[in-house]
């Protein structure tokens, strides 16, 4: 990954963990928006929606910075798409149960949109992109779903689940593509995207 200073426009522990694993130099500047309170229009695709949300988060974080700040602001948003429907974060346990039930025995697309903007010129050049992974759930029985739901671990997660935790708990889940895209940040492609952003001449 290019040696650039990153400002992560996200309070997600999972995204912080992914950047830490990459050895990235980053600081967290959470976006001042609650994406869980926003709903995509029925005509939106998961790709267009997550890209728009990622950019909104990056611009929101830029407003929190002091004038003259440098580096690249990275915003990200993740959503699932099943049977043409966008599935975001569940608002309560019942909705989380419905989401998980709908995924059993099915394949879904998980999309993470990413926006990169220059902190020194937030209205200047931007990169808004997305990566897609395909996730397939095997047979997951009702009692396993119930045991998971009572933990509350479904909160704040697109589709109501964290990939690494669910596989670690023995759920039969397979992934085509970058598993980190499902977790919340496409690390396989992030370095290339940041390398492109460096051509804007932003300070490191």
């Amino acid at each position: 990954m290019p040696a650039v200073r990153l400002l992560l426009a996200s309070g997600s522990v999972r995204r912080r963990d992914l950047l830490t694993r990459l050895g990235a130099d980053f600081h967290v500047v959470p976006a001042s928006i609650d994406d869980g309170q926003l709903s995509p229009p029925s005509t939106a695709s998961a790709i267009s929606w997550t890209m728009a949300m990622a950019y909104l988060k990056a611009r929101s974080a830029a407003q929190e910075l002091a004038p003259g700040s440098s580096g690249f602001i990275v915003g990200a948003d993740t959503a699932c798409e099943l049977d043409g429907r966008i599935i975001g974060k569940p608002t309560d346990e019942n909705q989380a149960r419905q989401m998980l039930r709908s995924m059993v025995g099915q394949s879904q697309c998980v999309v993470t949109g990413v926006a990169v903007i220059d902190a020194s010129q937030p209205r200047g050049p931007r990169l808004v992109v997305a990566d897609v992974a395909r996730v397939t759930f095997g047979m997951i029985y009702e009692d396993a779903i119930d045991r998971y739901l009572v933990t509350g671990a479904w909160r704040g997660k697109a589709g109501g689940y964290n990939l690494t935790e669910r596989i670690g708990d023995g759920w039969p889940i397979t992934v085509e593509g970058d598993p980190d895209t499902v977790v919340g940040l496409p690390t396989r492609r992030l370095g290339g995207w940041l390398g492109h952003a460096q051509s804007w001449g932003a300070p490191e």
Side-chain angles (χ1 to χ4, degrees), residues 48-168:
S48 63
W49 177 251
T50 56
M51 289 171 63
M53 289 301 301
Y55 180 63
L56 181 62
K57 292 178 182 180
R59 282 299 306 272
S60 174
Q63 295 174 357
E64 304 296 320
L65 299 176
S69 296
S70 63
F72 292 107
I73 304 171
V74 177
D77 188 73
T78 303
C80 306
E81 189 172 73
L82 178 65
D83 296 331
R85 295 179 296 109
I86 296 177
I87 301 175
K89 300 173 184 177
T91 56
D92 55 37
E93 184 175 311
N94 184 57
Q95 189 177 45
R97 177 179 285 104
Q98 293 175 348
M99 286 181 179
L100 293 169
R101 282 176 174 171
S102 71
M103 296 174 186
V104 173
Q106 302 290 329
S107 291
Q108 60 185 278
C109 289
V110 179
V111 182
T112 291
V114 175
V116 182
I117 62 176
D118 181 348
S120 67
Q121 46 176 342
R123 295 182 181 275
R126 71 194 70 171
L127 178 69
V128 186
V129 286
D131 192 54
V132 182
R134 189 170 186 82
V135 177
T136 302
F137 276 41
M139 179 55 64
I140 302 169
Y141 295 99
E142 195 72 20
D143 59 341
I145 293 176
D146 288 340
R147 287 195 303 271
Y148 167 63
L149 290 173
V150 297
T151 69
W154 50 269
R155 300 181 188 278
K157 298 179 176 67
Y161 70 95
N162 174 276
L163 178 71
T164 306
E165 293 173 354
R166 292 303 87 221
I167 291 177

